[in-house]
Amino acid sequence: MVVEYEGEYYPPMALQAARLYLGLSEMEMELKIGESVRLGKIDIQTDEIGRMLVDYFGKEKTYPYHSAAGVVLGEVDPKFFAGKIVVVGASALATGDSKVTPFSGNMMGFEKNATVMENILSNRLVYRSESTMQALSIGLIVL
């Protein structure tokens, strides 16, 4: 939920898109390094380097895909996109933008971004509890 570059911190595309969709100003976004990102009234728990847990909805193509050519040629009704965030990206495996998720070994990066946006906008966020972290630590020590 945060990208550090040369000592400055920036929100990634998924967070910015969610902020804009909600109609929030940049001042309504707050970073607590190593803890969370607040977006309006939504508090997104992060780890020490700014990552959030993602609640995946399923394998790749959980969201509808449309070819850019089909959109340009009018094969997709423009009303389909009304009121939605549209994420554009390459879906060919050769692009190298595939991600490994619990459901898939080749989910496209743009679909992962869409999932993160959906998690934020639907407030379907996954949180680490202290007891879960303790159990994981004990499990790792036993192994």
Side-chain angles (χ1 to χ4, degrees), residues 10 25 76 98 110 116:
Y10 301 93
S25 72
V76 181
S98 61
F110 67 84
V116 170

Side-chain angles (χ1 to χ4, degrees), residues 40-70:
K41 295 180 180 181
I42 303 169
D43 193 47
I44 306 161
Q45 185 184 65
T46 63
D47 66 9
E48 57 281 342
I49 59 172
R51 298 174 299 188
M52 71 176 267
L53 291 174
V54 178
D55 185 4
Y56 291 96
F57 300 104
K59 62 182 187 161
E60 67 275 0
K61 296 191 179 179
T62 296
Y63 295 95
Y65 285 34
H66 295 284
S67 75

Side-chain angles (χ1 to χ4, degrees), residues 6 14 39 51 53-54 59 65 68 81 83 87 89-90 108-109 130 132:
E6 294 186 358
L39 186 61
R51 298 174 299 188
L53 291 174
V54 178
K59 62 182 187 161
Y65 285 34
F81 301 110
V87 182
M108 294 293 105
E130 189 61 37
T132 301

Side-chain angles (χ1 to χ4, degrees), residues 74-89:
E75 296 170 3
V76 181
D77 185 349
K79 292 177 187 172
F80 175 81
F81 301 110
K84 298 177 182 172
I85 297 173
V86 177
V87 182
V88 179

Side-chain angles (χ1 to χ4, degrees), residues 98-118:
S98 61
K99 309 295 180 194
V100 175
T101 75
F103 296 103
S104 172
N106 56 1
M107 178 179 279
M108 294 293 105
F110 67 84
E111 189 165 2
K112 181 178 179 185
N113 277 314
T115 303
V116 170
M117 287 180 238
E118 180 73 18

